[in-house]
Structures are given as C-alpha cells and as structure tokens.
Amino acid sequence: MSDLKTSQLAQQITSMVSTMMDEIRPRLVQAGLSGRRSETENVRHEDNFLSDYDLWMHGRYKELLAELIPSFIYASEEADPLIIGTDPEPDLCILVDPLDTSELAVRSLHGYTHIMVYSRSLKRPIIAVVGDIFHHVQLYIGLRDENGSDRAFMVTASGDRHALNKPSNARLSQALVTNYSMRPKERFLPLAGQQRFLDALSAPSEDGKKRGRIGVDFGSVSLCHVAAGFTDATVEFAKGFAIWDLSPGHYILNAAGGVVIDLEGNPISMDCGLNSLSEINKAMSARRKFIAAGNRALADQIREVIRQ
C-alpha cells in the first residue's frame, strides 16, 4: 500500500481502537462492580483467562477491519488465522490481541488492546496501536511515514498528542525495571530468584541513594511505557511473551528509539515470519524471552546480571 494510504489507515485504526475502548469500558466497569466476570472456557490457551468480553472484541475487530481493508489475514489471539476478503494471498496480516490482561480488566483494574498491521511483502510492521482502557494516556501508536521512517506517538484521553523519541538513558542502579510477575510460580518466583539482577538494581548511585526499582507491567503496553520514558526497561526471562503481546509494543519502542534484545544479546528482528498461514500459526504458538530498554547500555547491563 502507498505511504499516504498507510497514514490514512493508521488514523482509521487509531479511531477504531478508541471507539472499541469507549464501547467496552462501561461493560468492564460493571463487571468489576458486580463480580460477574463472564469467564468462559479457553480452548486455545487452557491456562489463560478468557471472558465473553475478549470474544466480543475479537468479533467486533474483525467486522470493523473488514470495512476498512478489502483483503487481509486476521490473526487474533482468540482464533486461528483467517483470510478475510477475496484475495487468496493478501499482503497485510492484522495481528490482534483484543483484550490483554483480561482477568484484571473484568475487575476494572487494568485492560489493554493491541493491534498491529504487518506487511508480508516488506516483512515488517507498518502500523501498531496499543490502547489503555482505564488510564489517561490511552493510545500508543507506531507507523511507517511517507519517507519510510518509523515514528511513535502517544495520545491522551483529552486528545493531546506527544511524539515518542526520547526513551530513557538511565543505567541499572537508577532504573525502574518492570516485569510481568503476576503468576506466582511461573513468573514471580523466577523473578525473586534473580539475585544478581536484584542486587544490581539495589546498588547505590554515585550520591549513595538507592534509586533502582522493580515494578509490574503487562504485555505490549510495558514496552510502550519504555518508549514513552515512563519506565526504563522491561524484562521477560521466565515463560516468554507470545507474538501478540511482544510485537506491537516492540514496533512502537523501536520507532521511539529504544532496543529489544534476546537473552543472548541479539536484537530481535521486526520480521515476524508471517509468510503463510502455517507460518503464522507457528508464530502464534511461539514465545520469546527478551529485554526491552530505552538504551542499549541498560539492556546489556540487565543481560549481564540475569541468570538464564
């Protein structure tokens, strides 16, 4: 698609995500207040929480995207990849996580929605939007502009737009590093066992003050927080993130000037390998461990002290 159409599509998808969040937010608040969380059986991911709200957003995204794009591959967390439209080999693959952190969303605590447009001919993302349902900073956006450069922005609930191009330059002893540590045995215990990492994070700065902090964050929005400079880094060294949790935020952080590396220190490619339905299925079932940071020096410092 042309650069102009990419910009137009990015605007349309951003508007669509905003509308989706406006529609689902009151329903999630009511679920939190009533305690009726509408949990349903998760056939695809047995250990993950799934609600009727996830499934509604999955279907609604598919409908709205079909109104914008004549043909595309719809790759949602909630179902197998599906070709929409008449083109048997569409260029665009739309990767969607309709409702991330849904077990918290139905308690009105945290809820996010991810969408990424991937060009199979370019072998890279060209648009990503991560929506934050319950907070003032509501949208994180990455897009490929008319010059072929990647840019990142955030938008608040009041419509203020801010360019994201100054991620953190902090070092480890000064950093706020986040981790998705909610699951007690699968994620929290591995984090608690990273003694060298925790010691390095707790080391005094030059003035003797201990400024390092560990925090909890969620899915793609954790990388968006690094892109905005709200946090300094986020790490995943236990279970790994699925593609729908990692890739949208990865693209936005990359566009903002941050870095994402694997635990061997190699940059993680923007090429997700979404070349055929079988490869998309394979990519959807894989998980990646990573370190995402505002600067490469911090990423390397974290990698040096993590026990793999």
Coordinates of all heavy atoms in Angstrom, one line a residue, residues 196-262:
R196 N 21.4 -11.7 41.4 CA 22.4 -10.7 40.9 C 21.7 -9.5 40.3 O 22.1 -8.4 40.5 CB 23.2 -11.4 39.9 CG 24.2 -12.4 40.4 CD 25.1 -13.0 39.3 NE 25.9 -12.0 38.6 CZ 26.3 -12.0 37.4 NH1 25.9 -13.0 36.6 NH2 27.0 -11.0 36.9
F197 N 20.6 -9.8 39.6 CA 19.8 -8.7 39.0 C 19.2 -7.8 40.1 O 19.4 -6.5 40.0 CB 18.7 -9.3 38.1 CG 17.6 -8.3 37.7 CD1 17.9 -7.2 36.9 CD2 16.3 -8.4 38.1 CE1 17.0 -6.3 36.5 CE2 15.3 -7.6 37.7 CZ 15.7 -6.5 36.9
L198 N 18.6 -8.3 41.1 CA 18.1 -7.5 42.2 C 19.1 -6.8 42.9 O 18.9 -5.6 43.4 CB 17.2 -8.4 43.1 CG 16.0 -9.1 42.4 CD1 15.3 -10.0 43.4 CD2 15.0 -8.1 41.9
D199 N 20.3 -7.4 43.1 CA 21.4 -6.7 43.8 C 21.9 -5.5 43.0 O 22.2 -4.4 43.5 CB 22.6 -7.7 44.1 CG 22.3 -8.7 45.2 OD1 21.3 -8.5 45.9 OD2 23.0 -9.7 45.3
A200 N 22.0 -5.7 41.7 CA 22.5 -4.6 40.8 C 21.5 -3.5 40.8 O 21.9 -2.3 40.8 CB 22.7 -5.2 39.4
L201 N 20.2 -3.9 40.8 CA 19.2 -2.8 40.8 C 19.1 -2.1 42.1 O 18.7 -0.9 42.2 CB 17.8 -3.5 40.5 CG 16.6 -2.6 40.1 CD1 16.9 -1.8 38.9 CD2 15.4 -3.5 39.9
S202 N 19.6 -2.7 43.2 CA 19.6 -2.1 44.5 C 20.9 -1.4 44.9 O 21.0 -0.8 45.9 CB 19.3 -3.2 45.6 OG 18.1 -3.8 45.3
A203 N 21.8 -1.4 43.9 CA 23.1 -0.8 44.2 C 23.0 0.7 44.4 O 22.2 1.4 43.7 CB 24.1 -1.1 43.1
P204 N 23.8 1.4 45.3 CA 23.7 2.8 45.4 C 24.2 3.6 44.2 O 25.1 3.1 43.5 CB 24.6 3.1 46.6 CG 24.8 1.8 47.3 CD 24.7 0.8 46.2
S205 N 23.6 4.7 43.9 CA 24.0 5.6 42.8 C 25.3 6.3 43.4 O 25.7 6.1 44.5 CB 22.9 6.6 42.4 OG 21.8 5.9 41.9
E206 N 25.8 7.2 42.5 CA 27.0 8.0 42.9 C 26.8 8.8 44.2 O 27.8 9.0 45.0 CB 27.5 8.9 41.8 CG 28.0 8.1 40.5 CD 28.4 9.0 39.4 OE1 28.3 10.3 39.6 OE2 28.8 8.5 38.4
D207 N 25.6 9.3 44.4 CA 25.4 10.1 45.6 C 25.0 9.2 46.8 O 24.6 9.7 47.9 CB 24.3 11.1 45.4 CG 23.0 10.5 45.0 OD1 22.8 9.2 45.0 OD2 22.0 11.2 44.7
G208 N 25.1 7.9 46.7 CA 24.8 7.0 47.8 C 23.3 6.6 47.9 O 23.0 5.7 48.7
K209 N 22.4 7.2 47.1 CA 21.0 6.8 47.2 C 20.7 5.6 46.3 O 21.2 5.5 45.3 CB 20.1 8.0 46.8 CG 20.2 9.2 47.8 CD 19.3 10.3 47.4 CE 19.4 11.5 48.4 NZ 18.4 12.6 48.0
K210 N 19.8 4.8 46.8 CA 19.3 3.6 46.1 C 18.1 4.0 45.3 O 17.0 4.1 45.8 CB 19.1 2.5 47.0 CG 20.3 2.0 47.8 CD 20.1 0.8 48.7 CE 21.3 0.4 49.4 NZ 21.1 -0.8 50.3
R211 N 18.3 4.2 44.0 CA 17.2 4.6 43.1 C 16.5 3.5 42.3 O 15.5 3.7 41.7 CB 17.6 5.7 42.2 CG 18.0 7.0 43.0 CD 18.2 8.2 42.0 NE 18.3 9.5 42.7 CZ 19.4 10.0 43.3 NH1 20.5 9.3 43.2 NH2 19.3 11.1 43.9
G212 N 17.2 2.4 42.2 CA 16.6 1.3 41.4 C 15.3 0.8 41.9 O 15.1 0.7 43.1
R213 N 14.4 0.5 41.0 CA 13.1 0.0 41.4 C 12.6 -1.2 40.5 O 13.0 -1.2 39.3 CB 12.0 1.1 41.4 CG 12.3 2.3 42.3 CD 12.1 1.9 43.8 NE 12.2 3.0 44.7 CZ 13.3 3.4 45.2 NH1 14.5 2.8 45.0 NH2 13.3 4.4 46.1
I214 N 11.8 -2.1 41.0 CA 11.2 -3.1 40.3 C 9.7 -2.9 40.3 O 9.1 -2.6 41.3 CB 11.6 -4.5 40.8 CG1 11.1 -5.6 39.8 CG2 11.0 -4.8 42.2 CD1 12.0 -5.8 38.6
G215 N 9.1 -3.0 39.1 CA 7.6 -2.8 39.0 C 7.0 -3.9 38.2 O 7.6 -4.7 37.5
V216 N 5.6 -3.9 38.3 CA 4.9 -4.9 37.5 C 4.3 -4.1 36.3 O 3.9 -3.0 36.4 CB 3.8 -5.6 38.3 CG1 2.7 -4.6 38.8 CG2 3.1 -6.7 37.5
D217 N 4.3 -4.8 35.1 CA 3.6 -4.2 33.9 C 3.1 -5.4 33.1 O 3.2 -6.5 33.5 CB 4.6 -3.4 33.2 CG 4.0 -2.2 32.5 OD1 2.8 -2.2 32.2 OD2 4.6 -1.1 32.3
F218 N 2.5 -5.1 32.0 CA 1.6 -6.0 31.3 C 1.8 -5.9 29.8 O 1.7 -4.9 29.2 CB 0.2 -5.8 31.6 CG -0.1 -5.6 33.0 CD1 -0.2 -4.3 33.6 CD2 -0.3 -6.7 33.9 CE1 -0.5 -4.1 34.9 CE2 -0.5 -6.5 35.2 CZ -0.6 -5.2 35.8
G219 N 2.2 -7.1 29.1 CA 2.1 -7.2 27.7 C 2.8 -6.1 26.9 O 3.8 -5.5 27.3
S220 N 2.2 -5.8 25.8 CA 2.8 -4.8 24.9 C 2.9 -3.4 25.5 O 3.8 -2.6 25.2 CB 2.0 -4.7 23.6 OG 2.6 -5.4 22.5
V221 N 1.9 -3.1 26.4 CA 2.0 -1.7 27.0 C 3.2 -1.5 27.8 O 3.7 -0.4 28.0 CB 0.7 -1.5 27.8 CG1 0.8 -2.1 29.2 CG2 0.4 0.0 27.9
S222 N 3.9 -2.6 28.3 CA 5.1 -2.5 29.1 C 6.2 -1.9 28.2 O 7.0 -1.1 28.6 CB 5.5 -3.8 29.7 OG 5.8 -4.8 28.7
L223 N 6.3 -2.3 26.9 CA 7.2 -1.8 26.0 C 6.9 -0.3 25.6 O 7.8 0.5 25.3 CB 7.4 -2.7 24.8 CG 8.1 -4.0 25.0 CD1 7.1 -5.1 25.5 CD2 8.8 -4.5 23.8
C224 N 5.6 -0.1 25.5 CA 5.2 1.3 25.2 C 5.5 2.3 26.3 O 5.9 3.4 26.1 CB 3.6 1.3 25.0 SG 3.1 0.4 23.6
H225 N 5.5 1.8 27.6 CA 5.9 2.6 28.7 C 7.4 3.0 28.6 O 7.8 4.1 29.0 CB 5.6 1.9 30.0 CG 4.1 1.9 30.3 ND1 3.5 0.9 31.1 CD2 3.0 2.6 29.8 CE1 2.2 1.1 31.2 NE2 1.9 2.1 30.4
V226 N 8.2 2.0 28.2 CA 9.6 2.3 27.9 C 9.8 3.3 26.8 O 10.6 4.2 26.9 CB 10.4 1.0 27.6 CG1 11.8 1.3 27.4 CG2 10.2 0.0 28.8
A227 N 9.0 3.1 25.7 CA 9.0 4.1 24.6 C 8.7 5.5 25.0 O 9.3 6.4 24.5 CB 8.1 3.6 23.5
A228 N 7.8 5.6 26.0 CA 7.4 7.0 26.5 C 8.4 7.5 27.5 O 8.4 8.7 27.8 CB 6.0 6.9 27.1
G229 N 9.3 6.7 28.0 CA 10.2 7.1 29.1 C 9.6 7.1 30.4 O 10.2 7.5 31.4
F230 N 8.4 6.5 30.5 CA 7.7 6.3 31.8 C 8.5 5.3 32.7 O 8.6 5.4 33.9 CB 6.3 5.9 31.7 CG 5.4 6.9 30.9 CD1 4.2 6.5 30.3 CD2 5.8 8.2 30.8 CE1 3.4 7.3 29.7 CE2 4.9 9.1 30.2 CZ 3.8 8.7 29.6
T231 N 9.0 4.3 32.1 CA 9.8 3.3 32.7 C 11.1 3.2 31.9 O 11.2 3.7 30.8 CB 9.2 1.9 32.8 OG1 8.9 1.4 31.4 CG2 7.9 1.9 33.6
D232 N 12.1 2.5 32.5 CA 13.4 2.5 31.8 C 13.7 1.2 31.0 O 14.4 1.2 30.0 CB 14.5 2.7 32.9 CG 14.4 4.0 33.6 OD1 14.5 5.0 33.0 OD2 14.1 4.0 34.8
A233 N 13.1 0.1 31.5 CA 13.2 -1.2 30.9 C 12.1 -2.1 31.3 O 11.5 -1.9 32.4 CB 14.6 -1.8 31.2
T234 N 11.9 -3.2 30.5 CA 11.0 -4.3 30.9 C 11.7 -5.6 30.5 O 12.4 -5.6 29.5 CB 9.6 -4.1 30.4 OG1 8.8 -5.1 31.0 CG2 9.6 -4.2 28.9
V235 N 11.6 -6.6 31.3 CA 12.3 -7.9 31.0 C 11.3 -9.0 31.1 O 10.3 -9.0 31.9 CB 13.5 -8.1 32.0 CG1 14.5 -7.0 31.9 CG2 13.0 -8.2 33.5
E236 N 11.6 -10.1 30.3 CA 10.8 -11.3 30.4 C 11.8 -12.5 30.2 O 12.3 -12.7 29.1 CB 9.8 -11.3 29.3 CG 9.1 -12.7 29.2 CD 8.5 -13.2 30.5 OE1 8.0 -12.4 31.3 OE2 8.6 -14.5 30.7
F237 N 12.1 -13.2 31.3 CA 13.1 -14.3 31.2 C 12.5 -15.6 31.8 O 13.3 -16.6 31.9 CB 14.3 -13.9 32.1 CG 14.0 -13.3 33.4 CD1 13.5 -14.0 34.5 CD2 14.2 -11.9 33.6 CE1 13.2 -13.4 35.7 CE2 13.9 -11.3 34.8 CZ 13.5 -12.1 35.8
A238 N 11.2 -15.7 32.0 CA 10.6 -16.9 32.5 C 9.9 -17.6 31.4 O 10.4 -18.5 30.7 CB 9.7 -16.5 33.7
K239 N 8.6 -17.3 31.2 CA 7.8 -18.0 30.3 C 7.9 -17.5 28.8 O 7.8 -18.3 27.9 CB 6.3 -17.9 30.7 CG 5.3 -18.8 29.9 CD 3.9 -18.6 30.5 CE 2.9 -19.4 29.7 NZ 1.5 -19.3 30.2
G240 N 8.2 -16.3 28.7 CA 8.3 -15.7 27.4 C 6.9 -15.0 27.0 O 5.9 -15.5 27.4
F241 N 7.0 -14.1 26.1 CA 5.8 -13.4 25.6 C 5.4 -14.0 24.2 O 6.2 -14.3 23.4 CB 6.0 -11.9 25.3 CG 5.8 -11.0 26.6 CD1 5.8 -11.6 27.8 CD2 5.6 -9.7 26.4 CE1 5.6 -10.7 28.9 CE2 5.4 -8.8 27.5 CZ 5.4 -9.4 28.8
A242 N 4.1 -14.2 24.0 CA 3.6 -14.5 22.7 C 3.7 -13.4 21.8 O 3.8 -12.2 22.2 CB 2.1 -15.0 22.8
I243 N 3.6 -13.6 20.5 CA 3.8 -12.6 19.5 C 2.8 -11.4 19.6 O 3.2 -10.3 19.4 CB 3.7 -13.2 18.0 CG1 4.0 -12.2 17.0 CG2 2.3 -13.8 17.8 CD1 4.1 -12.7 15.6
W244 N 1.6 -11.7 20.0 CA 0.6 -10.6 20.1 C 0.9 -9.7 21.3 O 0.4 -8.6 21.3 CB -0.9 -11.2 20.2 CG -1.1 -12.2 21.3 CD1 -1.3 -11.9 22.6 CD2 -1.1 -13.6 21.1 NE1 -1.4 -13.1 23.3 CE2 -1.3 -14.2 22.4 CE3 -0.9 -14.5 20.0 CZ2 -1.4 -15.5 22.6 CZ3 -1.0 -15.8 20.3 CH2 -1.2 -16.4 21.5
D245 N 1.6 -10.2 22.3 CA 2.0 -9.4 23.4 C 3.3 -8.6 23.2 O 3.5 -7.5 23.7 CB 2.1 -10.3 24.7 CG 0.8 -10.7 25.3 OD1 -0.1 -9.9 25.2 OD2 0.7 -11.8 25.8
L246 N 4.2 -9.2 22.4 CA 5.5 -8.6 22.2 C 5.5 -7.7 21.0 O 6.0 -6.5 21.1 CB 6.6 -9.7 22.1 CG 8.0 -9.2 21.7 CD1 8.5 -8.3 22.8 CD2 8.9 -10.4 21.5
S247 N 5.1 -8.1 19.9 CA 5.4 -7.4 18.6 C 4.8 -6.0 18.5 O 5.5 -5.1 18.0 CB 4.9 -8.3 17.4 OG 5.7 -9.4 17.4
P248 N 3.5 -5.8 18.9 CA 3.0 -4.4 18.7 C 3.8 -3.4 19.6 O 4.2 -2.3 19.1 CB 1.6 -4.5 19.2 CG 1.2 -5.9 19.0 CD 2.4 -6.7 19.3
G249 N 4.1 -3.7 20.8 CA 4.9 -2.8 21.7 C 6.4 -2.8 21.2 O 7.0 -1.7 21.3
H250 N 6.9 -3.9 20.7 CA 8.3 -3.9 20.1 C 8.4 -2.9 19.0 O 9.3 -2.1 18.9 CB 8.5 -5.3 19.6 CG 9.9 -5.5 19.0 ND1 10.2 -6.6 18.3 CD2 11.0 -4.7 18.9 CE1 11.4 -6.5 17.8 NE2 11.9 -5.4 18.2
Y251 N 7.4 -2.9 18.1 CA 7.5 -1.9 17.0 C 7.4 -0.5 17.5 O 8.2 0.4 17.0 CB 6.3 -2.2 16.0 CG 6.3 -1.3 14.8 CD1 7.4 -1.0 14.0 CD2 5.1 -0.6 14.6 CE1 7.3 -0.1 13.0 CE2 5.0 0.3 13.5 CZ 6.1 0.5 12.7 OH 6.1 1.4 11.7
I252 N 6.5 -0.2 18.4 CA 6.4 1.2 18.9 C 7.7 1.6 19.6 O 8.2 2.7 19.4 CB 5.2 1.3 19.8 CG1 3.9 1.1 19.0 CG2 5.2 2.6 20.6 CD1 2.6 0.9 19.8
L253 N 8.3 0.7 20.4 CA 9.5 1.0 21.1 C 10.7 1.2 20.1 O 11.5 2.1 20.2 CB 9.9 -0.1 22.1 CG 11.2 0.1 22.9 CD1 11.3 1.4 23.6 CD2 11.4 -1.1 23.8
N254 N 10.7 0.4 19.1 CA 11.7 0.5 18.1 C 11.6 1.9 17.4 O 12.6 2.6 17.1 CB 11.6 -0.6 17.1 CG 12.6 -0.5 16.0 OD1 13.8 -0.8 16.1 ND2 12.2 -0.1 14.8
A255 N 10.4 2.3 17.1 CA 10.1 3.5 16.4 C 10.5 4.7 17.3 O 10.9 5.8 16.8 CB 8.7 3.6 16.0
A256 N 10.4 4.5 18.6 CA 10.8 5.6 19.5 C 12.3 5.7 19.8 O 12.7 6.7 20.4 CB 10.1 5.4 20.9
G257 N 13.0 4.7 19.3 CA 14.5 4.7 19.5 C 15.0 3.8 20.6 O 16.2 3.9 20.9
G258 N 14.2 3.0 21.1 CA 14.6 2.0 22.1 C 15.1 0.7 21.5 O 15.2 0.6 20.3
V259 N 15.4 -0.2 22.4 CA 16.0 -1.5 21.9 C 15.3 -2.7 22.5 O 14.8 -2.6 23.6 CB 17.5 -1.6 22.2 CG1 18.3 -0.5 21.5 CG2 17.8 -1.6 23.7
V260 N 15.2 -3.8 21.8 CA 14.7 -5.1 22.3 C 15.7 -6.1 21.8 O 15.9 -6.3 20.6 CB 13.3 -5.4 21.7 CG1 12.7 -6.7 22.3 CG2 12.3 -4.2 22.0
I261 N 16.2 -6.8 22.8 CA 17.2 -7.9 22.5 C 16.8 -9.2 23.2 O 16.0 -9.2 24.1 CB 18.6 -7.5 23.0 CG1 18.6 -7.4 24.6 CG2 19.1 -6.2 22.3 CD1 20.0 -7.1 25.2
D262 N 17.3 -10.3 22.7 CA 17.1 -11.6 23.3 C 18.1 -11.8 24.4 O 18.9 -10.9 24.7 CB 17.1 -12.7 22.3 CG 18.4 -12.9 21.6 OD1 19.5 -12.5 22.2 OD2 18.4 -13.5 20.5

